[in-house]
Amino acid sequence: MSSPKESPIQKMRLPVYIRKGPLEVPSPSEKDWSKDDEEDYVLKDPDQELDSLPQPYRMINKLVNLLFDRSWEIIEKRDAEREAERSRVQPVVYPPLLESKLDNIPKCMAISQDYVFIGEANGFSIYNLYNAKRVGAWEKVKVDVTSIWATDLGSEVLIAPVDETGIIRLFYYYKESLFLIKAINEVEDASKQTTCVKMAVSLGGDFAAFLLQGAGDVWLDVYKLPKDTWLKEVEYPQLTANPKKKVRQLQLNPTDSVTPDNLETDVCTCFKGDVKLSLPVYIMKIKPPKPVTGTTFKSPLEVFAKVEDCCGLGSGQNHFIKDSQWEQHEAIFNASYKKYLDGEWEEEPLSTATFHFLLPSSVIPMPAEARGPSGVACVLGIHWTGSHNFFFYSLHRTLKDKVDPESVWPCAAPIAVSSLSCSGSYLVLACDDGVLTLWDLQKGFPLGVVALSKGCFCQSIHFLKYFLVHKGQNVYPEFPMKSRMKCVVLCTDASLHLVEAEGTQGPAIHVLAERSVKYPNETICAVAPVPALPGMVLIFSQDGSVRLMDVAKPQIACAFAPPRAYCLAAPWNPVFVVSSHHPCFLLRGDHPDEMEHTDASRDTRNSIFYFSFETYPLLENISRNCTISQSDLAANTAFPQTLPLEKRCERFLHEGFLNLEKKLVKEEEHWTRLRRYSLLLQKRISVSDATSSPGPSGKVSASRQLPPRTPCTEGTL
């Protein structure tokens, strides 16, 4: 006889635990009885049904529910963002006017005069700004240019490219001819190679400074540039090499690669390596200030007796502190912050410097024999990382002179950022506590001090050419404005601020844009003023968008975007350049597949997009009518500060006479009112004297008492 078929429950084998010892069966009691019958039982809490599941099914069920809830929240959030995006008023987006395809990936760009200088692998190329034609290049194997500067010297251009090894070279571009001047920090021994971190050229191109670092040290080399001698040498070249040696010529077609076998003689330029130009004159070497250490002097009298120069006393320099005092301060510091000092210390990075070439002004007293011609830089201003002081060094010195600062500006906090206007008239020092000091170097006095909001710290400062709002439109005055400046400050929290200062009036600060919490992809990563459009700045966001903001309103005027094939993924590091003299800017197109594919044989899309403000309807009128004449401003009473001094005095006297006539009329009205009031008081006093006389009983009659007086106003007289 076959055994009965097992049920699924019987097939489940559960572990059986056998208890040792006699089995004790508890006696039943009424407390253990169920009060409700099973037929009438209703499950009040639905979650109790899930709790009754065995493990691990109960845990799996909770994870599935949690995953479903989180997915539903994400779906609702994205749906709300799409709905909000549809309801937003999007600015007008303009495409580029021209696209220039390149063989190599452009790593950096610079604009000077009518030329664009693009750093690439194995050198740099020169393009015409208007027709995007290649007009020249400098090539060297395994020299990838990572950054490039171009300075206008009048009819010539000074080019300074830096390659990936940190070597900086100076080139001279004149009448479509390129000359190599010098490799500043190139050495034969690779172990002694230094790196160029930063450079600056003075206004007019008379001086240049290079921040170099190497072997654990950092310093600043300053040179005087013989630009007048260069002009004579290129006009009358003296070839030092074989004159029969052919000069390599470069063709114009940007799509063809430049090789020694590809030489066409159509309108082209050439690199003249045989022409030797005069080398820059080395002036001085500036090192970071040394840390304050203990002195061997025993008394203050000994200090004053042996100190030669006292110009630095009281300015944060020339400190003389005993070793014992330093030891006491160090012991107190270690005892107070012991719990923070026990951990491992990271090695501090090398100090860097920010430096500016300053024109002659009344801020820094210079001897008469040291002053140069007007418009030529005479002082180098510099501040180092973590330093409270801004140093001034005279440029009229030789190598034999001692390199000491002529003057020092101490600040209450370490200087984080500094910026000098294009004209060299205004200087802004931003400390790491969010305080900005505005200086008018031409007049020699501070325009004021402003503080950013709490939690905001300065990241970069961009000067705007001073503009006015005339009939709802931003315009530039034809004549220069004195002691008036405007600048845009980008903070570390991606907020944007506008700082304004006018003469003796206190500076004002306005928030242009705050960090978007609702749209984090629109975080601002770079800002660039547009000199061709008054009061306009380009804003580059992390999502790849480029927008034009009117800082006077403030609002977004329009946006610019490359074709859809060049969709940019966040975070974005834009490569762009804005022309100072032309109404245009250039933007590199980054294809999203460039970072994923490294095969050199593939057809890459390396393009430079050209945007011209004059070709767009919203900006056409602004770019062409961006200036206002002095006569139009004189007729408008809204801008009395823009008038000449004679006109302002004449208007002031005229307004004074008009106000005097108004004052005479008001005085007559006040005098008439005063006479009426005096007559009324006399009547009340006479009536009160008559009623206050005693009657037969010697008391004043209550029926003849005057009512209480009310205050007299202009309407009651």
Side-chain angles (χ1 to χ4, degrees):
M1 189 173 180
S2 61
S3 59
K5 188 176 181 180
E6 294 182 354
S7 62
I9 299 178
Q10 292 177 345
K11 290 182 179 180
M12 183 181 297
R13 303 300 181 183
L14 299 177
V16 179
Y17 299 96
I18 300 176
R19 184 176 180 180
K20 297 180 180 181
L23 180 62
E24 297 180 359
V25 180
S27 59
S29 62
E30 294 183 2
K31 295 181 180 180
D32 299 332
W33 292 355
S34 178
K35 297 181 180 179
D36 299 329
D37 296 333
E38 294 182 1
E39 297 178 358
D40 300 334
Y41 176 74
V42 178
L43 187 63
K44 298 179 180 180
D45 189 0
D47 293 337
Q48 292 182 0
E49 183 178 359
L50 302 178
D51 294 340
S52 62
L53 293 175
Q55 291 287 9
Y57 303 106
R58 187 166 65 245
M59 181 185 66
I60 296 174
N61 184 76
K62 290 183 178 180
L63 291 176
V64 171
N65 289 338
L66 180 62
L67 180 62
F68 179 80
D69 293 340
R70 291 185 177 179
S71 303
W72 188 254
E73 291 177 359
I74 295 174
I75 293 172
E76 289 181 343
K77 182 179 179 180
R78 290 181 178 178
D79 188 44
E81 291 178 355
R82 292 193 190 98
E83 189 65 25
E85 191 69 23
R86 295 191 194 100
S87 61
R88 291 180 65 190
V89 179
Q90 297 292 343
V92 181
V93 181
Y94 291 118
L97 179 65
L98 183 65
E99 177 182 0
S100 179
K101 295 184 179 181
L102 308 177
D103 294 336
N104 298 321
I105 299 177
K107 299 182 179 180
C108 53
M109 293 184 292
I111 292 180
S112 181
Q113 297 183 6
D114 299 334
Y115 302 99
V116 182
F117 306 91
I118 300 178
E120 303 169 339
N122 301 331
F124 66 90
S125 300
I126 307 173
Y127 292 84
N128 189 290
L129 180 61
Y130 297 104
N131 54 22
K133 296 297 183 179
R134 191 184 189 192
V135 296
W138 176 79
E139 290 186 340
K140 191 171 183 179
V141 181
K142 297 181 180 181
V143 176
D144 296 341
V145 176
T146 57
S147 60
I148 189 169
W149 290 272
T151 305
D152 188 2
L153 302 181
S155 59
E156 319 87 50
V157 180
L158 181 65
I159 312 167
V162 180
D163 60 20
E164 61 181 1
T165 60
I167 298 176
I168 183 169
R169 299 173 175 86
L170 292 182
F171 291 87
Y172 191 78
Y173 189 69
Y174 175 71
K175 291 184 178 180
E176 298 185 349
S177 297
L178 188 64
F179 306 90
L180 174 62
I181 300 174
K182 181 185 179 182
I184 299 297
N185 58 333
E186 186 176 15
V187 294
E188 296 180 357
D189 190 359
S191 60
K192 299 180 181 180
Q193 181 63 55
T194 59
T195 302
C196 180
V197 181
K198 196 181 300 183
M199 75 153 294
V201 179
S202 65
L203 185 64
D206 295 280
F207 299 92
F210 308 93
L211 182 64
L212 306 176
Q213 67 178 17
D217 196 6
V218 60
W219 66 93
L220 189 70
D221 284 344
V222 185
Y223 292 85
K224 182 177 176 57
L225 305 179
K227 62 175 186 177
D228 296 334
T229 306
W230 291 340
L231 184 58
K232 296 179 181 179
E233 292 174 348
V234 296
E235 288 181 348
Y236 306 100
Q238 300 293 331
L239 298 180
T240 57
N242 185 6
K244 297 182 180 180
K245 184 178 180 179
K246 293 184 178 180
V247 181
R248 180 180 175 183
Q249 297 186 353
L250 304 173
Q251 62 179 10
L252 281 172
N253 190 358
T255 58
D256 298 337
S257 60
V258 181
T259 59
D261 298 331
N262 194 356
L263 300 176
E264 295 185 4
T265 58
D266 297 337
V267 186
C268 58
T269 138
C270 53
F271 168 64
K272 299 184 178 181
D274 295 335
V275 179
K276 303 298 181 182
L277 301 183
S278 299
L279 299 179
V281 180
Y282 188 74
I283 298 179
M284 58 181 168
K285 180 178 182 180
I286 303 175
K287 291 188 176 182
K290 296 181 180 180
V292 181
T293 58
T295 180
T296 57
F297 293 127
K298 299 180 180 180
S299 65
L301 295 177
E302 187 179 355
V303 173
F304 285 105
K306 295 186 178 181
V307 172
E308 298 178 357
D309 190 6
C310 62
C311 63
L313 293 176
S315 61
Q317 299 297 305
N318 294 347
H319 286 294
F320 297 97
I321 302 176
K322 283 187 175 182
D323 293 332
S324 58
Q325 291 177 318
W326 277 116
E327 294 175 359
Q328 292 176 3
H329 283 290
E330 185 178 0
I332 295 173
F333 180 82
N334 293 334
S336 302
Y337 301 97
K338 183 179 180 180
K339 60 180 180 180
Y340 301 104
L341 299 175
D342 291 340
E344 297 182 358
W345 285 84
E346 297 182 359
E347 186 178 355
E348 295 184 0
L350 289 176
S351 177
T352 59
T354 304
F355 41 94
H356 312 281
F357 289 96
L358 308 179
L359 299 176
S361 63
S362 56
V363 174
I364 308 168
M366 297 289 294
E369 61 274 7
R371 295 185 180 181
S374 61
V376 178
C378 64
V379 175
L380 179 67
I382 179 174
H383 68 86
W384 298 87
T385 303
S387 175
H388 293 246
N389 301 322
F390 192 80
F391 302 93
F392 296 91
Y393 293 87
S394 174
L395 296 174
H396 299 281
R397 65 172 75 235
T398 61
L399 283 175
K400 297 180 180 179
D401 298 333
K402 188 177 181 181
V403 183
D404 287 333
E406 270 65 31
S407 180
V408 181
W409 281 359
C411 296
I415 303 174
V417 182
S418 64
S419 180
L420 182 70
S421 62
C422 297
S423 61
S425 301
Y426 305 102
L427 176 68
V428 176
L429 300 179
C431 298
D432 60 3
D433 57 355
V435 176
L436 280 71
T437 306
L438 318 176
W439 281 91
D440 184 353
L441 300 179
Q442 188 175 8
K443 295 294 183 180
F445 67 90
L447 292 173
V449 178
V450 294
L452 300 172
S453 57
K454 187 177 181 180
C456 293
F457 304 100
C458 181
Q459 180 179 351
S460 61
I461 303 172
H462 310 272
F463 277 94
L464 301 177
K465 187 178 178 181
Y466 192 83
F467 66 94
L468 301 171
V469 182
H470 178 65
K471 296 181 180 180
Q473 183 178 349
N474 302 341
V475 292
Y476 288 136
E478 287 185 345
F479 52 93
M481 304 293 294
K482 297 182 179 180
S483 299
R484 289 171 179 86
M485 56 83 66
K486 295 184 181 182
C487 64
V488 175
V489 179
L490 178 62
C491 298
T492 53
D493 62 346
S495 61
L496 199 63
H497 302 259
L498 175 65
V499 179
E500 301 178 87
E502 295 185 5
T504 56
Q505 299 180 4
I509 185 169
H510 311 281
V511 179
L512 299 177
E514 296 181 349
R515 182 182 181 91
S516 179
V517 180
K518 192 175 183 180
Y519 304 99
N521 291 334
E522 295 183 359
T523 301
I524 301 175
C525 60
V527 176
V530 182
L533 302 178
M536 299 288 184
V537 295
L538 285 174
I539 298 177
F540 299 84
S541 303
Q542 288 185 356
D543 59 353
S545 61
V546 183
R547 293 168 292 171
L548 185 67
M549 171 181 280
D550 185 356
V551 300
K553 294 186 179 178
Q555 65 180 16
I556 301 298
C558 60
F560 308 96
R564 286 186 173 270
Y566 293 90
C567 297
L568 304 173
W572 182 39
N573 185 18
V575 177
F576 65 94
V577 61
V578 182
S579 177
S580 302
H581 305 286
H582 306 283
C584 65
F585 77 96
L586 304 180
L587 177 66
R588 185 184 73 178
D590 296 334
H591 196 269
D593 297 335
E594 288 181 359
M595 301 302 296
E596 299 177 2
H597 305 280
T598 57
D599 188 7
S601 62
R602 68 181 181 88
D603 184 15
T604 58
R605 299 181 181 181
N606 306 313
S607 299
I608 297 294
F609 296 100
Y610 176 84
F611 296 87
S612 177
F613 301 115
E614 292 182 340
T615 58
Y616 304 126
L618 288 178
L619 307 176
E620 183 179 1
N621 187 28
I622 301 176
S623 61
R624 294 181 180 178
N625 302 322
C626 61
T627 59
I628 184 171
S629 62
Q630 187 172 352
S631 58
D632 294 338
L633 285 177
N636 192 347
T637 58
F639 306 109
Q641 71 275 12
T642 61
L643 300 177
L645 182 59
E646 294 79 5
K647 293 289 184 181
R648 293 171 63 183
C649 293
E650 182 180 351
R651 176 175 293 185
F652 177 76
L653 292 175
H654 181 67
E655 292 177 355
F657 284 122
L658 293 178
N659 293 333
L660 182 60
E661 294 178 358
K662 294 179 181 179
K663 289 180 180 179
L664 292 176
V665 174
K666 289 183 178 180
E667 287 180 359
E668 292 180 359
E669 293 177 356
H670 288 311
W671 181 251
T672 304
R673 190 180 301 112
L674 183 60
R675 291 180 61 186
R676 292 178 182 178
Y677 184 62
S678 63
L679 293 175
L680 180 61
L681 288 178
Q682 289 179 2
K683 290 180 181 180
R684 288 188 177 183
I685 291 173
S686 61
V687 173
S688 63
D689 292 341
T691 55
S692 61
S693 59
S697 59
K699 294 183 180 180
V700 180
S701 176
S703 62
R704 294 184 179 181
Q705 291 181 357
L706 294 174
R709 298 179 180 179
T710 58
C712 182
T713 60
E714 293 184 3
T716 58
L717 288 180

